[in-house]
Amino acid sequence: MNLRYVSIKLLRAIFTLWLVVSFVFIVLRITGDPTEQLLPDDVGEEIREYYRILWGLDRPVWEQYLLYFKAAFQGDFGVSFRNSQPALDLIWQRVPKTVELGTATFVTALVFGIPLGVMAAIWRDSWIDRLTMSFAVFGFSMPNFFLGILLILLFAMNLRMLPSSGYGTWEHMVMPVFTLATAFAGAIARFTRSAMLDVLSKDYIRTAEAEGASMSRRVWLHAFPNAAVPVVTIVGFSLGGMIGGAVVTENVFAWPGVGRLLTSSVADRDLAIVQGIVVLVAITMVTANFLVDLAYGWLDPRIRLGSGGQSR
Amino acid sequence: MNGTSHEPAPILRVQGLAKRFPMPRERLFGPRPMLTAVADVSFDLTAGETLAVVGESGCGKSTVGNLVLNLLAPSAGAIAFEGEDLSHANAARWRARRRDLQLIFQDSRGALDPRLTIDRQVAEGLDIHRIGAPSDRLEKARQMLDSVGLGGHLMGRYPHELSGGQQQRAVIARALVLEPKLVVCDEPVAALDVSVQAQVVNLLQDLQRTYGLTYLFISHDLSVVRHVADRVAVMYLGRFVEVASRDALFSQPAHPYSRALIGAVPAARSRHGRRVQPVALHGEPPSPLFPPQGCALNPRCPFATDQCRQERPDLRPLPGGGFVACHHVENLL
């Protein structure tokens, strides 16, 4: 892996992060006054002014912006307007729960999505292909909130097999993970299938067959590693969708994670919290994309070594 | 030693080989139309010889190669390799047999896995068939690469770091490291520059001499075929229309289609001072989905008669040697 490749990707990642934070900062400041939401309607203007000064909202936006960055670099992301606790602490308390949900979803989606996609490609047009692809379309097109509510109706209300909401045991995880993982697994299965179909038609697969390589050797030694590049791409991109889905799913199942904190903070215009969460999500996304880029280089020698040589 | 036969037993005997592909239905619940890619192809290959299969693209010549290697399952016909009938062999038997039957593709870049260095790819065949000790396999692969002219630092490279000619050498090394007896060369030089073509063709011939290889050489390029082939089979619309020794075919092609094909090559017109009278065919080859009745060439052939439009001519021996599928061949010569 050459240093130039890595440093260009890293610079781009930092630039993206800056763009996102700036955009959210400015949009949040120009779309409304937090004191309207947080203070009772009947408080006087001088009290509102007191809070504006306390939260630094009386200064011009550009000054707030510079101060925010200065503090952020020292690890200070402001305090919650609701209870004056440091925003970072409040967010960090929620992170493990969302990570728990996200990791379980991620693993579930990969464990189902990749083998199903591979099998659908190997036995193209068979019943297993059709079944997998129907499942993928279903998972992909079903909105999270709707699927979540359906699951609650069925498994919590009617069958009384699983708790309808909350956090604690593995049983609490089943429905949120299933809700989030269906769309993700569907996307992964579809992309794995098309990438595998593409590679399986390549001459080097037939060459391997002509050499006497078994089906499993052709698939797992030659086809899948070559198909992995587009699959890794979609997995990286899906992470964004998964975070969005987590916000909805956490609310449907009352999962005490970052997503629920975000919705309540947006409703109350608790700027420091919203801002902090956006930064966190942006860092996650940028890191994921950065890792995807690194994975490309690792997976494909043509990227790692530059496309030099005598290509046609 | 049975002493009775004068002809050496063929290493490969193919009889009545056919391949039909089902096409998508035109109407819901309608019958599936069948595309006949290869029909009634029979030939013998003697150890050490080169049989070239020539024809226009789409005539089914590559399908013949794939059928011989069982990369496609034949719809009919029998394949016997070294006397062993492989038409009913199961997948495991075929995998074991593949060591002796290898393939060289036209698109060498596509025939190499972009993720593996070429020495590893050449060694893979040895891994598959568990030849030699695992630790020696890479060394053996490198010796093979060296003998096809890819020595030194080139061995550890990835396919995209090599030129087209070098890639094709790697493909050849990959096929030959298993010490096969029969190699199907499917347009092995068609994708290369002319200057590189000659090198690769010469390499194939050197290797044939060194290892006693038998080639089934599939090509549309008559100048290459003329250089490498001992015998030539001319294919049209899925069938062999003429099989003859190279010299006979290039100096005196018998079938009207062979005459059209060979007459079209400028160099063929002057060799031995004899000029092959070119035959002008009308139009384009018909779609294999709707082959003409009778002789497949009849709509395009200037000599076609009513007999040609009704009866399909069989491949039959000619007095001077060779086989031709034409009703009127005696009158045409």
Side-chain angles (χ1 to χ4, degrees), chain B residues 256-297:
Chain B
Y257 181 70
S258 314
R259 285 170 63 179
L261 216 55
I262 287 164
V265 181
R269 295 182 184 167
S270 53
R271 192 91 177 250
H272 308 306
R274 193 200 311 264
R275 203 183 137 94
V276 172
Q277 280 296 322
V279 169
L281 298 178
H282 320 298
E284 296 288 311
S287 156
L289 259 182
F290 307 103
Q293 238 200 323
C295 173
L297 192 65

mmCIF file of all heavy atoms in Angstrom, chain B residues 256-297:
data_model
loop_
_atom_site.group_PDB
_atom_site.id
_atom_site.type_symbol
_atom_site.label_atom_id
_atom_site.label_comp_id
_atom_site.label_asym_id
_atom_site.label_seq_id
_atom_site.Cartn_x
_atom_site.Cartn_y
_atom_site.Cartn_z
ATOM 1 N N PRO B 256 -17.207 -26.036 -51.835
ATOM 2 C CA PRO B 256 -17.358 -24.640 -52.285
ATOM 3 C C PRO B 256 -17.071 -23.631 -51.168
ATOM 4 O O PRO B 256 -16.490 -22.578 -51.422
ATOM 5 C CB PRO B 256 -18.823 -24.566 -52.708
ATOM 6 C CG PRO B 256 -19.218 -25.954 -53.031
ATOM 7 C CD PRO B 256 -18.382 -26.858 -52.170
ATOM 8 N N TYR B 257 -17.460 -24.008 -49.920
ATOM 9 C CA TYR B 257 -17.208 -23.077 -48.825
ATOM 10 C C TYR B 257 -15.709 -22.959 -48.561
ATOM 11 O O TYR B 257 -15.192 -21.853 -48.359
ATOM 12 C CB TYR B 257 -17.947 -23.532 -47.565
ATOM 13 C CG TYR B 257 -17.747 -22.581 -46.412
ATOM 14 C CD1 TYR B 257 -18.314 -21.312 -46.427
ATOM 15 C CD2 TYR B 257 -16.977 -22.945 -45.315
ATOM 16 C CE1 TYR B 257 -18.111 -20.431 -45.389
ATOM 17 C CE2 TYR B 257 -16.769 -22.069 -44.265
ATOM 18 C CZ TYR B 257 -17.342 -20.815 -44.305
ATOM 19 O OH TYR B 257 -17.138 -19.935 -43.283
ATOM 20 N N SER B 258 -14.988 -24.078 -48.566
ATOM 21 C CA SER B 258 -13.534 -24.031 -48.383
ATOM 22 C C SER B 258 -12.896 -23.200 -49.478
ATOM 23 O O SER B 258 -11.960 -22.440 -49.235
ATOM 24 C CB SER B 258 -12.935 -25.439 -48.422
ATOM 25 O OG SER B 258 -13.667 -26.326 -47.644
ATOM 26 N N ARG B 259 -13.420 -23.352 -50.669
ATOM 27 C CA ARG B 259 -12.848 -22.596 -51.786
ATOM 28 C C ARG B 259 -13.075 -21.103 -51.601
ATOM 29 O O ARG B 259 -12.193 -20.291 -51.891
ATOM 30 C CB ARG B 259 -13.443 -23.074 -53.106
ATOM 31 C CG ARG B 259 -12.857 -24.417 -53.515
ATOM 32 C CD ARG B 259 -13.590 -25.020 -54.676
ATOM 33 N NE ARG B 259 -13.484 -24.209 -55.872
ATOM 34 C CZ ARG B 259 -14.040 -24.540 -57.032
ATOM 35 N NH1 ARG B 259 -14.719 -25.664 -57.134
ATOM 36 N NH2 ARG B 259 -13.920 -23.757 -58.071
ATOM 37 N N ALA B 260 -14.240 -20.754 -51.091
ATOM 38 C CA ALA B 260 -14.507 -19.338 -50.828
ATOM 39 C C ALA B 260 -13.574 -18.819 -49.742
ATOM 40 O O ALA B 260 -12.991 -17.745 -49.848
ATOM 41 C CB ALA B 260 -15.965 -19.153 -50.399
ATOM 42 N N LEU B 261 -13.428 -19.640 -48.694
ATOM 43 C CA LEU B 261 -12.613 -19.231 -47.546
ATOM 44 C C LEU B 261 -11.153 -19.075 -47.950
ATOM 45 O O LEU B 261 -10.507 -18.062 -47.672
ATOM 46 C CB LEU B 261 -12.739 -20.322 -46.475
ATOM 47 C CG LEU B 261 -12.758 -19.939 -45.007
ATOM 48 C CD1 LEU B 261 -13.839 -18.931 -44.714
ATOM 49 C CD2 LEU B 261 -12.985 -21.194 -44.174
ATOM 50 N N ILE B 262 -10.629 -20.082 -48.618
ATOM 51 C CA ILE B 262 -9.203 -20.080 -48.932
ATOM 52 C C ILE B 262 -8.905 -19.149 -50.095
ATOM 53 O O ILE B 262 -7.880 -18.467 -50.115
ATOM 54 C CB ILE B 262 -8.728 -21.522 -49.179
ATOM 55 C CG1 ILE B 262 -8.696 -22.195 -47.811
ATOM 56 C CG2 ILE B 262 -7.367 -21.563 -49.843
ATOM 57 C CD1 ILE B 262 -8.620 -23.648 -47.828
ATOM 58 N N GLY B 263 -9.848 -19.059 -51.031
ATOM 59 C CA GLY B 263 -9.661 -18.121 -52.129
ATOM 60 C C GLY B 263 -9.598 -16.677 -51.657
ATOM 61 O O GLY B 263 -9.039 -15.807 -52.329
ATOM 62 N N ALA B 264 -10.144 -16.436 -50.460
ATOM 63 C CA ALA B 264 -10.168 -15.069 -49.948
ATOM 64 C C ALA B 264 -8.845 -14.666 -49.325
ATOM 65 O O ALA B 264 -8.621 -13.501 -49.027
ATOM 66 C CB ALA B 264 -11.300 -14.925 -48.927
ATOM 67 N N VAL B 265 -7.956 -15.639 -49.089
ATOM 68 C CA VAL B 265 -6.664 -15.305 -48.494
ATOM 69 C C VAL B 265 -5.677 -14.988 -49.613
ATOM 70 O O VAL B 265 -5.403 -15.850 -50.447
ATOM 71 C CB VAL B 265 -6.131 -16.493 -47.668
ATOM 72 C CG1 VAL B 265 -4.791 -16.130 -47.038
ATOM 73 C CG2 VAL B 265 -7.130 -16.876 -46.604
ATOM 74 N N PRO B 266 -5.154 -13.782 -49.652
ATOM 75 C CA PRO B 266 -4.282 -13.416 -50.768
ATOM 76 C C PRO B 266 -3.113 -14.382 -50.944
ATOM 77 O O PRO B 266 -2.817 -14.804 -52.053
ATOM 78 C CB PRO B 266 -3.777 -12.025 -50.389
ATOM 79 C CG PRO B 266 -4.768 -11.505 -49.430
ATOM 80 C CD PRO B 266 -5.351 -12.682 -48.728
ATOM 81 N N ALA B 267 -2.495 -14.788 -49.840
ATOM 82 C CA ALA B 267 -1.306 -15.633 -49.943
ATOM 83 C C ALA B 267 -1.638 -16.993 -50.547
ATOM 84 O O ALA B 267 -0.790 -17.635 -51.160
ATOM 85 C CB ALA B 267 -0.677 -15.812 -48.568
ATOM 86 N N ALA B 268 -2.867 -17.457 -50.366
ATOM 87 C CA ALA B 268 -3.232 -18.788 -50.835
ATOM 88 C C ALA B 268 -3.290 -18.847 -52.349
ATOM 89 O O ALA B 268 -3.316 -19.907 -52.940
ATOM 90 C CB ALA B 268 -4.584 -19.194 -50.255
ATOM 91 N N ARG B 269 -3.308 -17.721 -52.975
ATOM 92 C CA ARG B 269 -3.543 -17.732 -54.419
ATOM 93 C C ARG B 269 -2.286 -18.044 -55.197
ATOM 94 O O ARG B 269 -2.350 -18.455 -56.335
ATOM 95 C CB ARG B 269 -4.083 -16.381 -54.862
ATOM 96 C CG ARG B 269 -5.441 -16.124 -54.252
ATOM 97 C CD ARG B 269 -5.998 -14.822 -54.732
ATOM 98 N NE ARG B 269 -7.258 -14.561 -54.046
ATOM 99 C CZ ARG B 269 -7.858 -13.409 -54.056
ATOM 100 N NH1 ARG B 269 -7.325 -12.392 -54.704
ATOM 101 N NH2 ARG B 269 -8.984 -13.251 -53.417
ATOM 102 N N SER B 270 -1.142 -17.825 -54.588
ATOM 103 C CA SER B 270 0.065 -17.959 -55.389
ATOM 104 C C SER B 270 0.954 -19.120 -54.967
ATOM 105 O O SER B 270 1.857 -19.492 -55.679
ATOM 106 C CB SER B 270 0.879 -16.659 -55.318
ATOM 107 O OG SER B 270 1.090 -16.330 -53.974
ATOM 108 N N ARG B 271 0.697 -19.715 -53.857
ATOM 109 C CA ARG B 271 1.559 -20.792 -53.369
ATOM 110 C C ARG B 271 1.587 -21.935 -54.368
ATOM 111 O O ARG B 271 0.570 -22.297 -54.954
ATOM 112 C CB ARG B 271 0.999 -21.294 -52.015
ATOM 113 C CG ARG B 271 1.948 -22.210 -51.275
ATOM 114 C CD ARG B 271 2.828 -21.417 -50.362
ATOM 115 N NE ARG B 271 3.692 -22.308 -49.585
ATOM 116 C CZ ARG B 271 3.538 -22.490 -48.297
ATOM 117 N NH1 ARG B 271 2.590 -21.877 -47.647
ATOM 118 N NH2 ARG B 271 4.380 -23.268 -47.655
ATOM 119 N N HIS B 272 2.729 -22.529 -54.545
ATOM 120 C CA HIS B 272 2.937 -23.618 -55.493
ATOM 121 C C HIS B 272 2.559 -23.207 -56.910
ATOM 122 O O HIS B 272 2.273 -24.058 -57.749
ATOM 123 C CB HIS B 272 2.108 -24.862 -55.126
ATOM 124 C CG HIS B 272 2.307 -25.295 -53.723
ATOM 125 N ND1 HIS B 272 3.560 -25.554 -53.195
ATOM 126 C CD2 HIS B 272 1.428 -25.476 -52.722
ATOM 127 C CE1 HIS B 272 3.420 -25.897 -51.931
ATOM 128 N NE2 HIS B 272 2.150 -25.846 -51.610
ATOM 129 N N GLY B 273 2.513 -21.943 -57.174
ATOM 130 C CA GLY B 273 2.183 -21.482 -58.512
ATOM 131 C C GLY B 273 0.745 -21.766 -58.907
ATOM 132 O O GLY B 273 0.325 -21.451 -59.999
ATOM 133 N N ARG B 274 -0.004 -22.378 -57.992
ATOM 134 C CA ARG B 274 -1.380 -22.698 -58.351
ATOM 135 C C ARG B 274 -2.309 -21.665 -57.726
ATOM 136 O O ARG B 274 -2.101 -21.221 -56.610
ATOM 137 C CB ARG B 274 -1.741 -24.077 -57.832
ATOM 138 C CG ARG B 274 -3.025 -24.618 -58.427
ATOM 139 C CD ARG B 274 -3.565 -25.700 -57.535
ATOM 140 N NE ARG B 274 -2.531 -26.680 -57.188
ATOM 141 C CZ ARG B 274 -2.364 -27.826 -57.834
ATOM 142 N NH1 ARG B 274 -3.130 -28.131 -58.826
ATOM 143 N NH2 ARG B 274 -1.439 -28.649 -57.447
ATOM 144 N N ARG B 275 -3.289 -21.313 -58.451
ATOM 145 C CA ARG B 275 -4.199 -20.314 -57.945
ATOM 146 C C ARG B 275 -5.500 -21.020 -57.601
ATOM 147 O O ARG B 275 -6.091 -21.703 -58.419
ATOM 148 C CB ARG B 275 -4.438 -19.295 -59.038
ATOM 149 C CG ARG B 275 -4.895 -17.959 -58.555
ATOM 150 C CD ARG B 275 -5.168 -17.096 -59.785
ATOM 151 N NE ARG B 275 -6.393 -16.363 -59.577
ATOM 152 C CZ ARG B 275 -6.399 -15.144 -59.080
ATOM 153 N NH1 ARG B 275 -5.289 -14.547 -58.764
ATOM 154 N NH2 ARG B 275 -7.547 -14.519 -58.897
ATOM 155 N N VAL B 276 -5.904 -20.868 -56.345
ATOM 156 C CA VAL B 276 -7.193 -21.435 -55.970
ATOM 157 C C VAL B 276 -8.269 -20.550 -56.566
ATOM 158 O O VAL B 276 -8.285 -19.347 -56.343
ATOM 159 C CB VAL B 276 -7.333 -21.490 -54.438
ATOM 160 C CG1 VAL B 276 -8.736 -21.887 -54.051
ATOM 161 C CG2 VAL B 276 -6.320 -22.453 -53.862
ATOM 162 N N GLN B 277 -9.107 -21.174 -57.384
ATOM 163 C CA GLN B 277 -10.196 -20.388 -57.969
ATOM 164 C C GLN B 277 -11.161 -19.974 -56.866
ATOM 165 O O GLN B 277 -11.808 -20.822 -56.260
ATOM 166 C CB GLN B 277 -10.952 -21.229 -59.007
ATOM 167 C CG GLN B 277 -10.269 -21.306 -60.348
ATOM 168 C CD GLN B 277 -10.169 -19.944 -61.022
ATOM 169 O OE1 GLN B 277 -11.098 -19.135 -60.942
ATOM 170 N NE2 GLN B 277 -9.040 -19.685 -61.665
ATOM 171 N N PRO B 278 -11.217 -18.711 -56.548
ATOM 172 C CA PRO B 278 -12.123 -18.342 -55.468
ATOM 173 C C PRO B 278 -13.574 -18.512 -55.892
ATOM 174 O O PRO B 278 -13.914 -18.308 -57.052
ATOM 175 C CB PRO B 278 -11.791 -16.874 -55.198
ATOM 176 C CG PRO B 278 -11.088 -16.384 -56.392
ATOM 177 C CD PRO B 278 -10.538 -17.559 -57.137
ATOM 178 N N VAL B 279 -14.383 -18.927 -54.949
ATOM 179 C CA VAL B 279 -15.816 -19.055 -55.190
ATOM 180 C C VAL B 279 -16.483 -17.881 -54.498
ATOM 181 O O VAL B 279 -16.190 -17.600 -53.339
ATOM 182 C CB VAL B 279 -16.341 -20.384 -54.620
ATOM 183 C CG1 VAL B 279 -17.858 -20.400 -54.619
ATOM 184 C CG2 VAL B 279 -15.785 -21.537 -55.416
ATOM 185 N N ALA B 280 -17.329 -17.177 -55.215
ATOM 186 C CA ALA B 280 -18.035 -16.058 -54.590
ATOM 187 C C ALA B 280 -19.340 -16.567 -53.994
ATOM 188 O O ALA B 280 -20.165 -17.141 -54.703
ATOM 189 C CB ALA B 280 -18.300 -14.961 -55.611
ATOM 190 N N LEU B 281 -19.507 -16.387 -52.683
ATOM 191 C CA LEU B 281 -20.760 -16.786 -52.035
ATOM 192 C C LEU B 281 -21.673 -15.574 -51.947
ATOM 193 O O LEU B 281 -21.218 -14.448 -51.805
ATOM 194 C CB LEU B 281 -20.485 -17.297 -50.626
ATOM 195 C CG LEU B 281 -19.601 -18.541 -50.508
ATOM 196 C CD1 LEU B 281 -19.396 -18.887 -49.054
ATOM 197 C CD2 LEU B 281 -20.220 -19.707 -51.261
ATOM 198 N N HIS B 282 -22.981 -15.845 -52.017
ATOM 199 C CA HIS B 282 -23.925 -14.736 -51.886
ATOM 200 C C HIS B 282 -24.263 -14.538 -50.423
ATOM 201 O O HIS B 282 -24.448 -15.502 -49.690
ATOM 202 C CB HIS B 282 -25.230 -15.023 -52.639
ATOM 203 C CG HIS B 282 -25.018 -15.693 -53.957
ATOM 204 N ND1 HIS B 282 -24.313 -15.087 -54.974
ATOM 205 C CD2 HIS B 282 -25.397 -16.915 -54.418
ATOM 206 C CE1 HIS B 282 -24.276 -15.899 -56.007
ATOM 207 N NE2 HIS B 282 -24.912 -17.026 -55.707
ATOM 208 N N GLY B 283 -24.400 -13.287 -50.047
ATOM 209 C CA GLY B 283 -25.013 -12.954 -48.752
ATOM 210 C C GLY B 283 -24.185 -13.363 -47.550
ATOM 211 O O GLY B 283 -22.991 -13.647 -47.637
ATOM 212 N N GLU B 284 -24.887 -13.399 -46.434
ATOM 213 C CA GLU B 284 -24.290 -13.650 -45.122
ATOM 214 C C GLU B 284 -24.678 -15.045 -44.654
ATOM 215 O O GLU B 284 -25.677 -15.594 -45.113
ATOM 216 C CB GLU B 284 -24.830 -12.630 -44.116
ATOM 217 C CG GLU B 284 -24.446 -11.194 -44.413
ATOM 218 C CD GLU B 284 -22.984 -10.926 -44.148
ATOM 219 O OE1 GLU B 284 -22.522 -11.310 -43.051
ATOM 220 O OE2 GLU B 284 -22.295 -10.383 -45.028
ATOM 221 N N PRO B 285 -23.917 -15.627 -43.712
ATOM 222 C CA PRO B 285 -24.347 -16.915 -43.166
ATOM 223 C C PRO B 285 -25.708 -16.762 -42.489
ATOM 224 O O PRO B 285 -25.962 -15.750 -41.842
ATOM 225 C CB PRO B 285 -23.277 -17.245 -42.123
ATOM 226 C CG PRO B 285 -22.177 -16.286 -42.332
ATOM 227 C CD PRO B 285 -22.685 -15.130 -43.100
ATOM 228 N N PRO B 286 -26.593 -17.753 -42.662
ATOM 229 C CA PRO B 286 -27.909 -17.661 -42.018
ATOM 230 C C PRO B 286 -27.797 -17.850 -40.511
ATOM 231 O O PRO B 286 -26.779 -18.316 -40.003
ATOM 232 C CB PRO B 286 -28.697 -18.798 -42.659
ATOM 233 C CG PRO B 286 -27.686 -19.745 -43.164
ATOM 234 C CD PRO B 286 -26.432 -18.983 -43.437
ATOM 235 N N SER B 287 -28.849 -17.458 -39.794
ATOM 236 C CA SER B 287 -28.858 -17.644 -38.346
ATOM 237 C C SER B 287 -28.922 -19.125 -38.014
ATOM 238 O O SER B 287 -29.688 -19.870 -38.620
ATOM 239 C CB SER B 287 -30.088 -16.951 -37.751
ATOM 240 O OG SER B 287 -30.418 -17.556 -36.523
ATOM 241 N N PRO B 288 -28.126 -19.578 -37.046
ATOM 242 C CA PRO B 288 -28.185 -21.004 -36.675
ATOM 243 C C PRO B 288 -29.534 -21.381 -36.068
ATOM 244 O O PRO B 288 -29.830 -22.565 -35.933
ATOM 245 C CB PRO B 288 -27.047 -21.157 -35.664
ATOM 246 C CG PRO B 288 -26.618 -19.791 -35.297
ATOM 247 C CD PRO B 288 -27.105 -18.830 -36.320
ATOM 248 N N LEU B 289 -30.348 -20.388 -35.717
ATOM 249 C CA LEU B 289 -31.686 -20.705 -35.216
ATOM 250 C C LEU B 289 -32.581 -21.229 -36.340
ATOM 251 O O LEU B 289 -33.494 -22.005 -36.113
ATOM 252 C CB LEU B 289 -32.325 -19.446 -34.629
ATOM 253 C CG LEU B 289 -32.316 -19.297 -33.124
ATOM 254 C CD1 LEU B 289 -33.021 -18.015 -32.727
ATOM 255 C CD2 LEU B 289 -32.950 -20.489 -32.431
ATOM 256 N N PHE B 290 -32.338 -20.755 -37.565
ATOM 257 C CA PHE B 290 -33.161 -21.166 -38.699
ATOM 258 C C PHE B 290 -32.260 -21.665 -39.815
ATOM 259 O O PHE B 290 -32.104 -21.012 -40.841
ATOM 260 C CB PHE B 290 -34.014 -19.992 -39.200
ATOM 261 C CG PHE B 290 -34.809 -19.353 -38.111
ATOM 262 C CD1 PHE B 290 -34.402 -18.144 -37.547
ATOM 263 C CD2 PHE B 290 -35.952 -19.968 -37.617
ATOM 264 C CE1 PHE B 290 -35.129 -17.560 -36.527
ATOM 265 C CE2 PHE B 290 -36.679 -19.383 -36.591
ATOM 266 C CZ PHE B 290 -36.272 -18.179 -36.045
ATOM 267 N N PRO B 291 -31.625 -22.830 -39.616
ATOM 268 C CA PRO B 291 -30.722 -23.325 -40.666
ATOM 269 C C PRO B 291 -31.535 -23.711 -41.897
ATOM 270 O O PRO B 291 -32.676 -24.156 -41.782
ATOM 271 C CB PRO B 291 -30.072 -24.547 -40.016
ATOM 272 C CG PRO B 291 -30.998 -24.960 -38.935
ATOM 273 C CD PRO B 291 -31.741 -23.754 -38.491
ATOM 274 N N PRO B 292 -30.962 -23.525 -43.082
ATOM 275 C CA PRO B 292 -31.690 -23.892 -44.296
ATOM 276 C C PRO B 292 -31.858 -25.399 -44.391
ATOM 277 O O PRO B 292 -31.088 -26.155 -43.798
ATOM 278 C CB PRO B 292 -30.777 -23.387 -45.422
ATOM 279 C CG PRO B 292 -29.590 -22.783 -44.788
ATOM 280 C CD PRO B 292 -29.623 -23.029 -43.330
ATOM 281 N N GLN B 293 -32.873 -25.803 -45.115
ATOM 282 C CA GLN B 293 -33.046 -27.232 -45.368
ATOM 283 C C GLN B 293 -31.980 -27.722 -46.322
ATOM 284 O O GLN B 293 -31.434 -26.927 -47.094
ATOM 285 C CB GLN B 293 -34.425 -27.470 -45.989
ATOM 286 C CG GLN B 293 -35.256 -28.432 -45.166
ATOM 287 C CD GLN B 293 -36.362 -29.026 -45.977
ATOM 288 O OE1 GLN B 293 -36.950 -28.354 -46.806
ATOM 289 N NE2 GLN B 293 -36.655 -30.286 -45.718
ATOM 290 N N GLY B 294 -31.704 -28.999 -46.270
ATOM 291 C CA GLY B 294 -30.703 -29.560 -47.169
ATOM 292 C C GLY B 294 -29.312 -29.138 -46.756
ATOM 293 O O GLY B 294 -29.005 -29.048 -45.574
ATOM 294 N N CYS B 295 -28.469 -28.874 -47.750
ATOM 295 C CA CYS B 295 -27.119 -28.419 -47.461
ATOM 296 C C CYS B 295 -27.173 -27.016 -46.876
ATOM 297 O O CYS B 295 -27.863 -26.139 -47.403
ATOM 298 C CB CYS B 295 -26.300 -28.422 -48.753
ATOM 299 S SG CYS B 295 -24.660 -27.691 -48.542
ATOM 300 N N ALA B 296 -26.460 -26.810 -45.758
ATOM 301 C CA ALA B 296 -26.551 -25.527 -45.070
ATOM 302 C C ALA B 296 -26.063 -24.385 -45.947
ATOM 303 O O ALA B 296 -26.435 -23.234 -45.757
ATOM 304 C CB ALA B 296 -25.735 -25.572 -43.775
ATOM 305 N N LEU B 297 -25.233 -24.702 -46.927
ATOM 306 C CA LEU B 297 -24.660 -23.641 -47.749
ATOM 307 C C LEU B 297 -25.551 -23.291 -48.935
ATOM 308 O O LEU B 297 -25.315 -22.299 -49.616
ATOM 309 C CB LEU B 297 -23.262 -24.071 -48.238
ATOM 310 C CG LEU B 297 -22.380 -22.997 -48.875
ATOM 311 C CD1 LEU B 297 -22.016 -21.928 -47.852
ATOM 312 C CD2 LEU B 297 -21.120 -23.598 -49.466
#
